[in-house]
Amino acid sequence: MKVAIGGPLKLAFRPWVEGLENVPAEGPAILASNHLSFSDSFFLPAVLDRKVTFIAKAEYFTTPGVKGRMTAAFFKGVGQLPVDRSGARGAGEAAIRSGIEVLERGELFGIYPEGTRSPDGRLYRGKPGGLARVALATGAPVLPVAMIDTEKIQPPGQVMPKLMRPGIRIGKPLDFTRYQGMEHDRFVLRAVTDEVMYEIMKLSGQEYVDMYATAMKRQLAEAAKAEKEAEKAHRAAVARADKEQAEKLRAAMEQADRKETGGPSER
């Protein structure tokens, strides 16, 4: 996949990279990145010599049919790891277990602390569960990563990607071994996550929003729904007004016609 996907990707988009020297040549490490685009999971592994394992929902690997098998083969090839979200505690626990297993094998584990793609290009509050717990359970260093301009390559609704140079900045490793054994302390988890997000913010130059991206997406969806309903109500009101106006006009024309032709009382 590095040859089939990574090579053409680098040739076509020519991504620039800073901080490659911060990625260890061997041994476990966590790449904690902002998340602007679906393509983030392709550009970052493409510029690294080592394999990076991300997590992906299990549905990508279990969809039946030819298309489903092709999708599963593709995601396996690019280092995606299936996570079953149907468990008692959902994707969070499954992601943590998967991340620990990857790091215990001495590999690189990629994670997006925001939990989902940014809806507007800003940096959102990191979720404290996955990243911090994996880091504290394994003692692996955390490398903050900033993806830059990847959301501009293929904005929502655009079919063909725009050929432009995205950027990747990889920061110096952060050591959280001082907190080992405290992975169930929510205040420690919050502190670790916030420290990583602060480093990502410095690398990316993004505006920071102190709320979860999922909450912002819900707000935007609710606002879009309310706007759609308001527009629908407006169209209905205009239609009613037009109908009433047409009825009044028709009644006036009928009255005028009766006056011209003469009604029964006039005859």
Side-chain angles (χ1 to χ4, degrees):
M1 280 297 173
K2 281 189 176 291
V3 174
I5 302 296
L9 201 68
K10 289 192 289 184
L11 184 64
F13 293 94
R14 299 181 299 116
W16 56 267
V17 190
E18 295 177 1
L20 274 178
E21 68 278 4
N22 294 321
V23 181
E26 58 182 22
I30 301 170
L31 297 172
S33 173
N34 60 340
H35 199 10
L36 298 173
S37 168
F38 176 76
S39 63
D40 294 337
S41 298
F42 301 100
F43 279 111
L44 180 56
V47 301
L48 299 177
D49 293 331
R50 298 182 62 186
K51 176 185 176 182
V52 184
T53 300
F54 290 89
I55 55 175
K57 58 183 181 181
E59 289 85 344
Y60 286 143
F61 300 82
T62 58
T63 304
V66 176
K67 183 179 179 181
R69 289 195 296 271
M70 292 177 63
T71 301
F74 175 77
F75 277 98
K76 288 177 182 176
V78 296
Q80 301 285 325
L81 198 66
V83 172
D84 184 3
R85 302 186 298 177
S86 62
R89 299 185 65 178
E93 290 299 323
I96 291 167
R97 290 194 302 271
S98 299
I100 292 173
E101 290 172 2
V102 170
L103 293 167
E104 286 179 344
R105 294 197 299 266
E107 300 175 3
L108 298 179
F109 178 62
I111 189 170
Y112 301 112
E114 292 168 280
T116 185
R117 278 175 281 177
S118 170
D120 53 17
R122 296 184 293 176
L123 183 68
Y124 284 82
R125 196 180 195 201
K127 293 189 173 183
L131 166 65
R133 285 183 59 187
V134 171
L136 298 187
T138 62
V142 179
L143 277 66
V145 177
M147 307 300 296
I148 298 171
D149 290 337
T150 52
E151 82 282 9
K152 298 177 182 178
I153 292 176
Q154 194 171 12
Q158 183 173 311
V159 178
M160 294 299 294
K162 178 182 179 182
L163 287 177
M164 58 174 292
R165 296 189 70 188
I168 302 171
R169 287 196 182 103
I170 304 172
K172 295 184 180 300
L174 303 174
D175 182 5
F176 295 109
T177 54
R178 63 189 183 278
Y179 294 126
Q180 273 194 281
M182 304 174 69
E183 58 265 27
H184 298 294
D185 187 319
R186 62 189 181 94
F187 296 106
V188 171
L189 297 179
R190 182 76 266 164
V192 169
T193 305
D194 287 346
E195 184 174 339
V196 175
M197 298 309 295
Y198 179 72
E199 293 300 323
I200 294 175
M201 181 187 69
K202 289 197 300 183
L203 291 169
S204 68
Q206 291 171 279
E207 176 186 349
Y208 180 75
V209 183
D210 193 21
M211 67 181 296
Y212 294 125
T214 49
M216 175 57 76
K217 285 186 174 182
R218 283 196 298 270
Q219 288 186 11
L220 293 174
E222 290 169 0
K225 182 180 179 181
E227 184 178 353
K228 187 176 181 179
E229 290 176 351
E231 185 179 350
K232 183 179 179 181
H234 175 70
R235 288 198 301 266
V238 171
R240 286 195 301 271
D242 290 344
K243 184 178 180 181
E244 291 173 359
Q245 185 65 26
E247 289 175 351
K248 289 179 181 179
L249 180 60
R250 183 169 59 252
M253 292 177 65
E254 289 175 352
Q255 185 178 8
D257 185 59
R258 284 197 297 269
K259 287 182 179 180
E260 291 179 2
T261 58
S265 59
E266 294 176 354
R267 294 194 187 95

